[in-house]
Amino acid sequence: MKIMKDKFKTVFARIFIPAIATSAVLIAFLAAANYSMLDRIYLSSVRKMLVNSSGLISGSISENVPFEKISKRCAEFGKKSGIRTTIVASDGKVVFDSDVDSGSMTNHLGRPEIKRALSGERNFSEHYSNTLKTKMLYIAVPAGTAVDGEYPYCVRQAMPLQNLSVAKKLFGYEILMLSAAAILLSAILSYFMARRIGMPLKSLSLAASKFAKGDFEARAEKCNIPEIAEVGSAMASMAADLKAREHSLTRRNCELDEIFSHMSDAVFICSSEGRILRMNSACAQIFSISKDPPLQTAEALRNSKLLALIEKTFDSGSETSAEIEVGSQPQKTFSVVGTMLPYESRVPRAIFVMHDISYISSNESLRREFVAGVSHELKTPITAIGIAAETLEETENPSDRRHFIEVIQKEVERVNMLVDDMLLLSKLDFAANMTGDFGELNVLSVIEEACISHQNAAEKAGDKISVDCDDGIYVKGDFTLLQIAVSNLIGNAIKYGGKGCNIHISGVRIGGDVALTVSDTGPGIASEHLGRLFERFYRVDKGRSRALGGTGLGLAIVKHIAMLHGGNVSVKSELGKGSSFTITLKSL
Ligand code: ADP
């Protein structure tokens, strides 16, 4: 039913139906008008004919023409024309009738049409003839020469109107057939006219619905109606424009997607209902959840501080920020900024960007630890210097005074060493860009230079130093720094290896690396200390280290120098057997 209704709403139907209806009404109206005109035309032609024939007859009646001759002429005329002619004398007596015997006819003086004709007035009248069983049209005209306005005769002629109904039937049938043909013709014309306008419009509508589905290549059929052709070309240029816009939007979307998914910062978009609408890979990785739909609720992030920040962002409607910790091994610190998205949507949305600030936090805690360590390290020598200085003031005995002066000198030297080591560490902290100045170094030269500085101390301790390194091993680096690193390791071996210790220094190429090892046959280091040995101020035995003039920074310096050269340092040690420290560097 609905389909039928829709069919009547099409452009084709809206043009075809009114066009055919209008032409049908017009044709019917014309047919009816023509049909009704038939009566008048027929009657007027019959009248004309009666006027002419009655004129002829009345004109021929005169006193000079014998009446028999007139009667004969009238009888002939009646036979040929089918017109009944009656001649009535002024006294009403019928003197001639072409169809009936005049003698048997009644006096006609009482008939109004005869009366009016005898008075000189030509007139028409219609009667039903019982004799001929048909309607007749009569004409009565005066004849002869009038005396005082009265004519001696009156000619009456009558013509049956039965031909009219026959003609009407025939004519009606013809009109009907013609009307039907005209309606059929107008239907055909209306069909082609509706089709000519309807088809291009349908094609336009089809093209428009294809555009709506994203097919911008669709085009309406060519049409030679200028207005429709104009709409078609406007639609085509609109489609081309839309296609270009869609293309640029898709490209922009892809670019934004790329940026979004490759951002190192974690990003997620959350609705005020607490649903995560989108997140990037970094975010999914941090919270160990899937970034693909269906996405979780904010609860899945399992972070109460973050949930509180989300709530605060939606409550305040402005930018909010907080620091949150995520994970346990290792725990990471993020700075999170939440911003409301300005674009209109059913539910308000906000974007949260999480920036990893763990390194800042760890640097901060390292810095705090370092300051605490330095303060602690300085306190002991400064206190010792203070006490020695005070006692020195009160002491008169020259040998005691010399002792306290020596104490002061020793502690000052310790502070000096500490400051030197701290300055070197600080230099190393900022030396990441120093690598450009590195040159080619012969590893054996580095080892020999380091050994020279320890010769006296080794001799004093009764230690033996042996070196095993090929002359042809080269690395890229800074000679002084690498010499300091090896020197620190040799110094530790002498300090902590005990008297008569064997110290062996080797430089070997292993694959693409050079392993520079300083091993000793000293007491070794318990395994629980090995993991923290390279931390600043870490000592196995604090008292012994201090007594031996250690700053607690020697191995930290070695580690930094190795790292600065793109290498690392490791330790192996066994209690009672000795320790072995290896710096691994890239070989040239
Ligand atoms: P320090 O200035 O105290 O020597 P280091 O950082 O050089 O500081 O060394 C840290 C600690 O590691 C030392 O205090 C010491 O206890 C231990 N250590 C270092 N080298 C050796 C070694 N060769 N044998 C035994 N212990 C060592």
Side-chain angles (χ1 to χ4, degrees):
M1 188 69 184
K2 193 178 176 299
I3 296 170
M4 278 303 284
K5 265 189 181 175
D6 286 349
K7 279 203 164 180
F8 283 115
K9 284 181 182 168
T10 59
V11 175
F12 175 82
R14 279 165 191 250
I15 296 171
F16 178 72
I17 294 171
I20 186 73
T22 314
S23 41
V25 167
L26 272 174
I27 290 165
F29 178 76
L30 283 173
N34 277 348
Y35 189 70
S36 77
M37 257 163 64
L38 179 69
D39 254 351
R40 276 180 280 130
I41 293 167
Y42 185 81
L43 277 175
S44 97
S45 72
V46 170
R47 277 176 182 229
K48 248 184 201 163
M49 207 189 286
L50 286 177
V51 168
N52 291 340
S53 68
S54 62
L56 274 173
I57 300 293
S58 66
S60 64
I61 297 174
S62 82
E63 281 86 46
N64 308 330
V65 182
F67 200 78
E68 288 74 34
K69 205 175 174 185
I70 295 169
S71 301
K72 204 178 161 195
R73 219 183 269 171
C74 288
E76 266 172 28
F77 179 76
K79 249 186 215 166
K80 281 181 187 165
S81 65
I83 296 173
R84 180 182 175 187
T85 308
T86 312
I87 301 172
V88 182
S90 57
D91 56 356
K93 192 179 169 206
V94 178
V95 291
F96 172 79
D97 192 282
S98 59
D99 289 12
V100 184
D101 177 24
S102 57
S104 63
M105 292 178 78
T106 56
N107 191 294
H108 276 37
L109 198 62
R111 298 196 178 183
E113 75 270 19
I114 302 292
K115 249 189 180 170
R116 275 156 59 199
L118 286 171
S119 310
E121 185 191 334
R122 188 181 73 189
N123 64 85
F124 290 95
S125 58
E126 276 179 39
H127 302 292
Y128 185 80
S129 160
N130 284 324
T131 328
L132 295 173
K133 303 279 184 238
T134 184
K135 215 176 174 190
M136 306 285 287
L137 179 68
Y138 291 90
I139 187 169
V141 294
T145 314
V147 179
D148 296 332
E150 286 297 321
Y151 285 82
Y153 295 102
C154 149
V155 175
R156 191 186 72 175
Q157 285 196 314
M159 212 176 145
L161 293 177
Q162 76 209 41
N163 287 345
L164 177 63
S165 53
V166 176
K168 263 177 138 178
K169 254 187 205 165
L170 279 172
F171 190 61
Y173 178 73
E174 249 170 56
I175 282 185
L176 204 69
M177 292 318 281
L178 278 172
S179 302
I183 289 173
L184 189 70
L185 190 70
S186 86
I188 293 168
L189 287 175
S190 304
Y191 173 81
F192 283 110
M193 190 177 78
R195 219 178 111 88
R196 200 169 163 239
I197 299 172
M199 291 306 275
L201 284 175
K202 196 173 176 184
S203 163
L204 279 179
S205 129
L206 259 171
S209 61
K210 279 185 183 171
F211 293 165
K213 284 176 192 154
D215 176 10
F216 297 117
E217 296 299 329
R219 291 288 177 272
E221 273 170 32
K222 278 211 158 73
C223 171
N224 52 10
I225 301 172
E227 289 86 346
I228 296 177
E230 223 168 85
V231 175
S233 69
M235 274 175 66
S237 69
M238 194 177 77
D241 192 41
L242 277 175
K243 194 183 167 187
R245 275 172 200 225
E246 195 205 27
H247 186 71
S248 95
L249 271 178
T250 314
R251 211 187 52 220
R252 252 186 88 188
N253 257 359
C254 289
E255 283 168 7
L256 286 175
D257 264 358
E258 283 284 296
I259 295 169
F260 187 71
S261 46
H262 289 101
M263 268 173 83
S264 58
D265 282 352
V267 182
F268 68 92
I269 296 170
C270 185
S271 75
S272 60
E273 292 165 341
R275 271 191 335 110
I276 297 173
L277 305 171
R278 216 174 159 190
M279 66 163 64
N280 68 353
S281 319
C283 185
Q285 214 174 346
I286 289 165
F287 293 106
S288 311
I289 55 174
S290 164
K291 72 179 176 66
D292 301 318
L295 289 171
Q296 321 247 7
T297 56
E299 260 82 29
L301 304 177
R302 293 187 304 274
N303 191 299
S304 54
K305 255 180 141 181
L306 186 56
L307 288 180
L309 180 79
I310 294 172
E311 212 177 307
K312 196 177 157 196
T313 310
F314 285 112
D315 285 350
S316 67
S318 56
E319 192 178 289
T320 51
S321 61
E323 269 182 29
I324 64 159
E325 281 81 38
V326 181
S328 47
Q329 282 298 326
Q331 191 181 60
K332 286 192 162 184
T333 309
F334 291 91
S335 154
V336 192
V337 177
T339 319
M340 293 299 294
L341 287 176
Y343 312 105
E344 290 255 323
S345 72
R346 192 181 56 80
V347 237
R349 296 164 308 154
I351 185 164
F352 296 86
V353 181
M354 296 172 55
H355 182 62
D356 190 349
I357 53 162
S358 311
Y359 71 98
I360 301 174
S361 307
S362 69
N363 276 357
E364 181 61 17
S365 64
L366 275 179
R367 195 185 63 79
R368 267 191 242 118
E369 271 173 35
F370 185 66
V371 170
V374 170
S375 316
H376 187 73
E377 290 299 320
L378 284 174
K379 207 171 169 190
T380 317
I382 287 170
T383 313
I385 291 167
I387 292 169
E390 267 175 38
T391 324
L392 187 67
E393 209 177 18
E394 291 159 11
T395 308
E396 299 283 319
N397 188 321
S399 71
D400 285 348
R401 284 179 71 93
R402 204 176 306 118
H403 168 71
F404 287 118
I405 288 168
E406 275 171 13
V407 168
I408 290 170
Q409 280 171 343
K410 206 177 144 196
E411 292 304 329
V412 167
E413 196 183 328
R414 185 199 290 275
V415 172
N416 252 336
M417 279 165 62
L418 188 65
V419 170
D420 282 350
D421 279 358
M422 284 194 312
L423 281 174
L424 180 59
L425 262 180
S426 147
K427 192 178 150 195
L428 291 170
D429 275 342
F430 294 102
N433 53 1
M434 210 175 105
T435 49
D437 303 331
F438 284 177
E440 268 183 35
L441 304 179
N442 182 280
V443 174
L444 184 60
S445 313
V446 174
I447 294 171
E448 281 172 351
E449 184 70 23
C451 286
I452 290 168
S453 57
H454 289 288
Q455 239 162 18
N456 286 341
E459 267 169 28
K460 240 187 189 175
D463 294 341
K464 273 192 196 152
I465 298 179
S466 56
V467 176
D468 180 10
C469 178
D470 277 352
D471 194 20
I473 302 175
Y474 287 86
V475 292
K476 199 175 176 192
D478 182 273
F479 188 88
T480 315
L481 289 178
L482 280 181
Q483 183 266 323
I484 289 172
V486 178
S487 173
N488 277 5
L489 293 177
I490 299 171
N492 278 354
I494 295 170
K495 271 194 286 181
Y496 304 108
K499 290 215 176 283
C501 168
N502 285 332
I503 300 166
H504 184 70
I505 306 155
S506 67
V508 285
R509 211 183 268 122
I510 304 166
D513 291 336
V514 172
L516 214 160
T517 307
V518 177
S519 48
D520 63 65
T521 53
I525 306 161
S527 59
E528 70 261 29
H529 298 292
L530 297 180
R532 300 193 59 193
L533 219 53
F534 297 96
E535 284 178 20
R536 293 172 189 197
F537 300 119
Y538 190 81
R539 292 172 175 108
V540 175
D541 181 344
K542 281 189 182 128
R544 193 168 148 69
S545 163
R546 284 216 177 87
L548 293 170
T551 59
L553 296 173
L555 289 180
I557 289 171
V558 174
K559 184 185 161 189
H560 267 74
I561 292 173
M563 280 165 59
L564 189 69
H565 285 78
N568 58 52
V569 61
S570 60
V571 57
K572 280 182 191 157
S573 187
E574 210 177 319
L575 277 176
K577 286 197 173 173
S579 311
S580 160
F581 290 83
T582 302
I583 297 172
T584 310
L585 300 168
K586 289 253 173 292
S587 163
L588 271 180

